[in-house]
């Protein structure tokens, strides 16, 4: 019951964040995450920070939201999100995703998934050769933790 309320609250906050991001471009509490650089034969994702704010009622935790943009055929390097709880929502396009130990899944606009703390994200890619894909990604993390750590050998 508590988990369902937490997930519902997180979804509501994520939706509100996405809806207000366009009008809140001058917020001083913006996340400071650099865009990913292109380092392979496939293009890679870019990141647009939306909001980063300590949770006032959960000491030591921070809420962060961002839009992750995948150009056609773009792939993210295999990575982890540390101890963060991650929620991803497909804003547009189609994304193929695989967590270690789980089957490959394809998510379309309007679909979503969660990643437990410590999950290994071995595949994230835009399936289209012509259209962009965009995700709204929300993290609940330990304050100060890095939100994405690429695998050292990728």
């Amino acid at each position: 019951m508590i988990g369902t309320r937490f997930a519902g609250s997180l979804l509501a906050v994520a939706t509100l964040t996405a809806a207000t991001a366009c009008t809140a471009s001058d917020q001083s509490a913006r996340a400071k995450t650099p865009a990913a650089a292109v380092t392979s034969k496939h293009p890679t994702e870019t990141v647009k920070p939306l909001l980063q704010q300590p949770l006032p009622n959960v000491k030591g935790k921070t809420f962060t939201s961002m839009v992750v943009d995948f150009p056609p055929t773009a792939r993210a390097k295999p990575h982890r999100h540390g101890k963060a709880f991650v929620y991803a929502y497909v804003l547009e396009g189609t994304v193929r995703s695989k967590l270690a130990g789980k089957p490959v899944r394809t998510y379309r606009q309007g679909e979503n998934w969660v990643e437990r703390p410590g999950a290994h994200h071995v595949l994230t890619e835009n399936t289209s050769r012509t259209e962009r894909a965009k995700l709204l990604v929300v993290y609940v993390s330990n304050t100060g933790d890095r939100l994405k750590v690429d695998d050292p050998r990728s």
Side-chain angles (χ1 to χ4, degrees):
M1 179 75 150
I2 292 173
T4 303
R5 278 191 266 179
F6 176 75
S9 298
L10 186 59
L11 180 57
V13 171
T15 303
L16 178 61
T17 300
T20 60
C22 294
T23 60
S25 60
D26 61 341
Q27 284 186 352
S28 61
R30 294 255 180 232
K32 306 244 183 320
T33 306
V38 175
T39 59
S40 68
K41 63 184 175 182
H42 286 276
T44 190
E45 80 277 19
T46 57
V47 175
K48 178 183 175 189
L50 298 175
L51 176 71
Q52 185 172 54
Q53 179 175 334
L55 292 173
N57 57 342
V58 186
K59 185 176 178 161
K61 297 292 182 180
T62 296
F63 172 94
T64 304
S65 63
M66 57 185 66
V67 173
V68 182
D69 185 357
F70 289 87
T73 72
R75 290 183 186 166
K77 290 181 178 182
H79 60 276
R80 297 175 193 270
H81 298 289
K83 295 179 183 176
F85 174 82
V86 180
Y87 169 79
Y89 177 86
V90 182
L91 295 169
E92 59 184 81
T94 303
V95 175
R96 185 177 297 127
S97 177
K98 179 176 178 14
L99 299 175
K102 304 284 184 183
V104 173
R105 295 269 324 259
T106 300
Y107 298 93
R108 291 169 179 70
Q109 183 176 4
E111 296 182 317
N112 61 79
W113 72 89
V114 296
E115 298 177 29
R116 294 184 156 275
H120 187 200
H121 209 150
V122 296
L123 172 71
T124 316
E125 65 182 356
N126 180 351
T127 62
S128 176
R129 294 178 175 266
T130 59
E131 303 295 323
R132 302 187 92 69
K134 289 186 180 183
L135 300 174
L136 170 66
V137 181
V138 175
Y139 303 86
V140 176
S141 64
N142 292 329
T143 301
D145 280 2
R146 288 178 56 195
L147 297 178
K148 181 180 181 230
V149 179
D150 291 335
D151 288 353
R153 292 181 218 117
S154 60

